[in-house]
Amino acid sequence: MHQNDGRQPGNAPGNGDGDPDERYRRSNALLVDEVLGFLFAAALRAAAEVGVADHLAKGPGTPADLAAATGTDARNLYRLLRLLATRGLVAEDESGRFALTEAGQALRSDVPYSARAAILMLSDRTFWLPAGELTRCLTEGGSAFDEIFGMPFFDHFARDARTAAVFHDGMAAMSDAENAILAAGYDFPSTGTVVDIGGGHGGLLLEVLRRNPALTGVLYDRPHVLAGHRLGTAPEVEGGWSLAEGDFFEAVPPGDVHLLKRITHDWDDDQCTTVLGHCRRALHPGGRVLILDAVVPRGNAPHQSKALDLLMMVSLTGRERTEEDFAELLAKSGLRLSRIIPTPTVLSVVEAVPA
């Protein structure tokens, strides 16, 4: 397979012979390499499913050894590892043994901030199958999820316990790597009530309360989600939190700070306006709403939000938003965008106050 050299095909020089078709050949090679990228995602998922990285944590191993440990076919496992090695997640030595690299450590399930559950979620059929129908989103509008699964995304989760577990475990894995950074990146009030709306298992709220022990926390979500909360595992915040069951499309608990982490990108503008309107009405005087989500930057530079935006397109009703999008959305909800605070993660803190 032809490998491109990383230069942009439109700016590439000719081959020295004045061949007018050279730039098209180079573009062809680049695009063929790019479209094969889905196979790397498939390989990464398969490696996560069989747990090969956990066995590599014990030291380098041959494909035969690793296949015996994981119950897989040695020849095919070698072929998978060889592809992962091209992205630097594993490395093959001259004796044919593979070792886990620094970049591949989070593929293990037994390390802090493991990405394994997030990989399994983001490559689950609930995202994978609709992504293959992206053209339908362009020609018909809306997501492809409903047509494939016969119901909207979150309705499917409510009926399928396996899928729900994959989703919430994957979201927790993504969040765990962000929560402490996000909690440290905002100057929370010294006292008051922080309500984590749609807060899942409570990882973000836990970090906020750890850093601000005089605050009171409320974790608000559906009952089946709250059943997996982790707030009770942290003695240092004992007595400083409570659970509240409900649907944020109907109401939200009152508070001084409302947190919405990775919530607004799931829903369209009308749905978000409903949720944010509830927040506006439930805020205590002087309160604020914090939307912790990606803010799509201007320009052509890569940014994870631009890929996540297509994920939202194919499976949900929402989208990733620009600063201008957030300002317009908040204005419709009786709120005003006061500032955006970037963080070292892909997420920013979008702060809103009553208009």
Side-chain angles (χ1 to χ4, degrees):
M1 181 60 65
H2 186 294
Q3 297 292 317
N4 75 77
D5 65 1
R7 289 180 288 181
Q8 293 297 317
N11 298 326
N15 62 3
D17 297 327
D19 184 347
D21 292 336
E22 176 62 14
R23 61 175 176 164
Y24 301 112
R25 293 192 186 97
R26 295 173 71 85
S27 175
N28 177 290
L30 173 76
L31 294 174
V32 169
D33 277 342
E34 290 291 342
V35 79
L36 287 172
F38 78 96
L39 292 168
F40 179 80
L44 192 56
R45 176 181 177 82
E49 284 189 299
V50 303
V52 67
D54 287 345
H55 296 284
L56 285 173
K58 304 169 187 176
T62 66
D65 293 336
L66 293 167
T70 58
T72 57
D73 180 85
R75 181 175 295 180
N76 286 343
L77 182 60
Y78 170 75
R79 296 161 75 181
L80 181 146
L81 291 170
R82 181 172 60 185
L83 179 60
L84 296 186
T86 66
R87 303 283 187 93
L89 302 186
V90 297
E92 182 182 9
D93 65 20
E94 293 182 357
S95 68
R97 297 192 309 165
F98 283 89
L100 194 62
T101 65
E102 191 71 17
Q105 291 297 320
L107 188 55
R108 293 166 54 185
S109 62
D110 61 344
V111 296
Y113 310 125
S114 168
R116 181 176 180 270
I119 291 167
L120 295 176
M121 177 193 70
L122 292 170
S123 61
D124 187 76
R125 64 195 300 271
T126 51
F127 291 124
W128 189 276
L129 295 181
E133 298 293 330
L134 195 150
T135 304
R136 178 182 295 166
C137 301
L138 302 181
T139 58
E140 300 177 11
S143 80
F145 190 95
D146 296 26
E147 186 70 24
I148 294 171
F149 292 94
M151 65 189 75
F153 186 84
F154 286 109
D155 290 351
H156 176 68
F157 277 25
R159 299 187 185 190
D160 188 322
R162 183 209 68 84
T163 301
V166 168
F167 178 77
H168 290 298
D169 289 347
M171 287 303 300
M174 292 177 66
S175 293
D176 284 347
E178 304 165 338
N179 288 333
I181 298 172
L182 294 171
Y186 185 80
D187 186 18
F188 285 88
S190 57
T191 60
T193 300
V194 176
V195 184
D196 193 354
I197 298 169
H201 293 167
L204 174 61
L205 184 59
L206 178 58
E207 293 297 336
V208 170
L209 295 179
R210 278 175 170 159
R211 295 186 61 87
N212 304 274
L215 289 175
T216 298
V218 178
L219 182 62
Y220 182 66
D221 215 314
R222 297 288 186 90
H224 71 279
V225 179
L226 293 176
H229 81 86
R230 294 182 288 168
L231 295 173
T233 65
E236 65 271 31
V237 301
E238 184 176 358
W241 57 269
S242 63
L243 305 179
E245 299 178 356
D247 181 343
F248 52 52
F249 285 117
E250 297 179 358
V252 300
D256 299 283
V257 180
H258 283 153
L259 303 178
L260 291 160
K261 183 181 180 218
R262 293 191 185 271
I263 298 296
T264 58
H265 76 159
D266 288 339
W267 308 100
D268 65 29
D269 284 2
D270 288 342
Q271 293 166 317
C272 287
T273 299
T274 296
V275 176
L276 291 167
H278 291 323
C279 292
R280 168 66 184 88
R281 288 184 288 275
L283 277 181
H284 292 160
R288 66 203 84 166
V289 176
L290 304 184
I291 299 173
L292 296 94
D293 237 327
V295 177
V296 183
R298 296 176 180 270
N300 302 317
H303 193 269
Q304 189 183 93
S305 63
K306 297 175 183 179
L308 288 174
D309 189 44
L310 294 192
L311 199 68
M312 299 302 107
M313 181 200 300
V314 298
S315 286
L316 293 114
T317 62
R319 61 192 175 102
E320 305 297 335
R321 293 176 171 85
T322 64
E323 179 177 348
E324 292 76 14
D325 291 332
F326 277 115
E328 182 178 347
L329 182 64
L330 291 166
K332 293 177 181 177
S333 309
L335 295 162
R336 174 176 59 83
L337 174 61
S338 56
R339 56 177 173 157
I340 293 179
I341 305 169
T343 77
T345 76
V346 70
L347 306 183
S348 294
V349 180
V350 179
E351 182 189 65
V353 296

